[in-house]
Amino acid sequence: MIRNRKPSDDTELVRLIRAELIPLSYTARPLDAHMIRELPLRFRNGVTYVATSSKLGPPVAFIHFYVHGTETVIDMLVTNPEYRGQRLGTTLMAYAEAYGKARGCQAARLFVDRINVRAHRFYNKLGFGTIRYLPEVQCYELLKPLTSPSALPVSNTR
């Protein structure tokens, strides 16, 4: 089941971020209290959809994104490892893209950490092309047209 985030989900979302995203991030540290404290505000400044295994169950995956101009910016996508392979990430990405398209977005943009090869392959399969590498944060910038495929020049190579 996909639904909007509720504030009561935040504890599990933070746990997923700590377990699955922070260890892959060059700029975040597991004990970075300031960054952890800022997460509820970050969730409120954008849209967060969660996937649950039942109507009242806790989140097992989530996506957080926001609209900036004519782009949907994917901020975070996390799936609990126990639930990978069930297309939750693909479904959540489809929700985010549909949200952006409905608001006139022409592209979706995201950043993926250099060492997160699995995520990079996942986004490439979804049609995201690598724009550039940012050595200062050790991330790749990826872009996907939300209109016609030839609208934006992107490369599908790493």
Side-chain angles (χ1 to χ4, degrees):
M1 171 179 183
I2 307 295
R3 62 170 172 76
N4 285 309
R5 169 201 151 264
K6 297 185 277 190
S8 60
D9 295 326
D10 289 359
T11 299
E12 181 59 15
L13 301 185
V14 169
R15 190 197 68 73
L16 286 169
I17 291 166
R18 282 186 136 144
E20 303 301 322
L21 289 183
I22 290 176
L24 298 173
S25 175
Y26 174 74
T27 58
R29 302 289 174 256
L31 300 175
D32 187 348
H34 175 72
M35 193 261 318
I36 298 296
R37 268 195 316 273
E38 294 293 321
L39 285 171
L41 175 63
R42 197 164 162 184
F43 290 139
R44 286 191 298 272
N45 291 328
V47 177
T48 305
Y49 291 128
V50 300
T52 61
S53 57
S54 66
K55 188 173 182 174
L56 299 175
V60 297
F62 78 92
I63 189 167
H64 177 75
F65 61 94
Y66 56 91
V67 171
H68 181 73
T70 60
E71 293 184 346
T72 302
V73 180
I74 309 300
D75 184 32
M76 294 181 275
L77 173 66
V78 182
T79 300
N80 182 319
E82 296 174 23
Y83 291 86
R84 289 189 182 142
Q86 297 182 25
R87 301 190 50 82
L88 296 174
T90 301
T91 301
L92 289 165
M93 287 295 292
Y95 269 70
E97 290 176 20
Y99 183 97
K101 284 179 188 178
R103 283 149 185 83
C105 291
Q106 297 175 8
R109 182 178 306 272
L110 59 87
F111 297 85
V112 64
D113 292 291
R114 177 185 54 83
I115 65 171
N116 198 347
V117 176
R118 182 182 182 153
H120 203 148
R121 272 195 307 263
F122 168 75
Y123 294 125
N124 284 160
K125 286 179 185 176
L126 293 181
F128 282 82
T130 302
I131 300 299
R132 63 184 169 151
Y133 177 69
L134 302 163
E136 63 277 10
V137 290
Q138 296 190 21
C139 285
Y140 290 96
E141 180 179 9
L142 284 71
L143 190 71
K144 177 182 179 179
L146 295 181
T147 55
S148 68
S150 61
L152 299 169
V154 294
S155 164
N156 281 323
T157 61
R158 187 159 176 208

